Amino acid sequence: MALNGLAFTKAARWLPAEPKGSGLVLTLHEVKPEPPAAFAPNAGLVIAPDFLDALLRLLKGAGRRIVPLGEMVANQMAGRASPQDVAITLDDGFRNNLEDALPVFRRHQAPFTAFICAGFCDRTAAPWWVALERMIATNVEFGVKGEGPGRMPTSTAGEKYAAFAAWRHALLFDLDGVRHRQVMGRLYEAHDFDERALTKELVLDWDGVRLLAEDPLATIGAHTMTHPALAKLSAESALAEIKEGADRIAEETGRRPDLLAYPYGFPGAVGMREAELAAQAGMTAAFLTTPGTLRASSDPRFLPRVSVNGYYQDVDYQEILLAPGLWRIAEPLLQAKNAFKRGRDVPSTR
């Protein structure tokens, strides 16, 4: 694979230098020590605490400065950003962010931002992609007739991965927020699955969020109320998702966040309309999952982040993926690809 070749040739040393006035924001989700199961379609969203420790050592050893996300945004807007600056974010508010990730951040005195989905903490919404994995893992047939891909066999690992891919695509790309919740409700009922218990198991409650917020290394950011693809909602509903999520965090922690991570964060789930709605909701900056670097010219409502992918838990790979010069080459290609996707995408309720 190309990444192996870049790592073998120590490409980070010869990639072009990134211009002055840039910085890198990293995206993490879960940080937990358990190895992935045989069927683990969400493994890319999970890294081990030991790997997080190695990643922070790599950054510090390379002379990178780990800064609070708010400081990076302020520097970017003022034209003071540096290519050596890195900010770290964690999406969704998983319990392991407090239990397993925080001790690693403390060991390195590394600041970070946790983007909290308020509905998960209220137990009124669930991390459906994990629920989908759990339901498929424990059933030999999955789905409901008349919805999405319908009933699918899930006896073998191959069948389980095929069902997960088909249902994930249908739930994420084919349905608006209302239909998404309706269909997930039918799946929970059909497979006798307790999504509230899953959310309680995996996601911080408000006591946990307050504990995290009290740590001087942590910043709490907003991640909407129920984690929808905002571009699939009406403007009124999308604005309410952003505002209500931030307001609930303010009610529980005493501080209203002004940094937002868009759920999913890729073309089709978020666009320039959502950037305008984020500003209306009082957000100073809002973040995608599209990779790239922060520059003085970047729109603060539409900022890129680089995913730390659980499939690449190797510091040699990360040395390449976190090299600023890589994104100087890759960004024009990604922008062209995303512009093409946006041009083809016509959200049903936009």
Side-chain angles (χ1 to χ4, degrees):
M1 67 187 286
L3 195 54
N4 280 330
L6 290 170
F8 179 77
T9 60
K10 301 294 182 183
R13 301 176 185 175
W14 51 260
L15 284 166
E18 183 67 358
K20 183 180 178 181
S22 60
L24 201 63
V25 180
L26 307 185
T27 310
L28 290 71
H29 290 81
E30 293 198 71
V31 180
K32 60 183 181 181
E34 303 89 41
F39 172 64
N42 292 306
L45 302 177
V46 182
I47 65 169
D50 286 349
F51 178 68
L52 176 59
D53 181 82
L55 178 64
L56 296 177
R57 291 181 187 279
L58 171 69
L59 290 170
K60 292 162 71 174
R64 309 295 280 274
R65 193 170 73 104
I66 304 172
V67 301
L69 186 61
E71 179 181 328
M72 175 169 278
V73 169
N75 286 342
Q76 181 254 342
M77 295 175 71
R80 298 191 303 265
S82 165
Q84 298 306 312
D85 286 354
V86 177
I88 300 173
T89 66
L90 302 100
D91 286 6
D92 302 320
F94 286 99
R95 285 188 183 276
N96 51 52
N97 293 177
L98 176 67
E99 297 166 357
D100 296 302
L102 180 58
V104 181
F105 288 121
R106 284 175 172 168
R107 192 178 309 141
H108 293 273
Q109 284 299 289
F112 63 95
T113 294
F115 285 113
I116 301 298
C117 177
F120 291 173
C121 302
D122 281 341
R123 310 311 190 217
T124 56
W128 63 269
W129 57 95
V130 184
L132 189 64
E133 176 181 331
R134 293 276 184 97
M135 288 188 285
I136 291 173
T138 56
N139 285 279
V140 296
E141 190 177 48
F142 178 79
V144 289
K145 290 182 179 179
E147 297 288 2
R151 299 284 291 180
M152 299 182 70
T154 51
S155 295
T156 68
E159 289 174 343
K160 290 181 187 296
Y161 276 104
F164 182 89
W167 270 98
R168 178 186 179 277
H169 187 277
L171 288 159
L172 188 52
F173 293 100
D174 298 341
L175 303 175
D176 64 24
V178 174
R179 286 290 296 138
H180 175 104
R181 288 191 293 274
Q182 290 173 344
V183 173
M184 284 305 302
R186 291 194 64 192
L187 289 170
Y188 296 145
E189 182 179 3
H191 298 285
D192 193 25
F193 188 83
D194 188 343
E195 76 278 13
R196 187 181 177 91
L198 174 76
T199 308
K200 184 177 180 181
E201 172 197 340
L202 294 180
V203 180
L204 291 167
D205 58 15
W206 288 113
D207 287 339
V209 173
R210 282 187 286 271
L211 276 175
L212 199 60
E214 289 169 2
D215 194 282
L217 294 172
T219 299
I220 302 300
H223 200 39
T224 72
M225 193 67 201
T226 67
H227 206 281
L230 293 171
K232 298 293 185 180
L233 303 179
S234 68
E236 181 181 9
S237 295
L239 179 61
E241 277 282 344
I242 301 170
K243 286 175 62 69
E244 290 172 13
D247 290 345
R248 280 295 290 129
I249 293 171
E251 290 172 8
E252 295 290 345
T253 68
R255 182 184 179 279
R256 191 179 194 274
D258 64 353
L259 301 174
L260 171 73
Y262 298 110
Y264 315 112
F266 49 72
V270 60
M272 289 309 298
R273 184 199 69 168
E274 288 66 52
E276 294 166 2
L277 294 175
Q280 288 181 40
M283 298 297 121
T284 301
F287 293 84
L288 307 164
T289 55
T290 302
T293 55
L294 270 63
R295 307 229 175 101
S297 59
S298 299
D299 185 336
R301 308 164 304 169
F302 218 61
L303 295 172
R305 293 186 291 169
V306 174
S307 174
V308 177
N309 192 305
Y311 292 118
Y312 300 104
Q313 295 188 64
D314 183 308
V315 292
D316 288 340
Y317 289 161
Q318 293 302 320
E319 187 176 16
I320 300 301
L321 292 171
L322 303 183
L326 175 68
W327 300 109
R328 185 178 179 185
I329 296 171
E331 276 181 280
L333 300 175
L334 290 167
Q335 287 168 0
K337 178 181 177 182
N338 291 335
F340 175 72
K341 286 184 177 179
R342 283 194 293 270
R344 295 180 63 189
D345 182 62
V346 183
S348 58
T349 59
R350 190 169 178 135

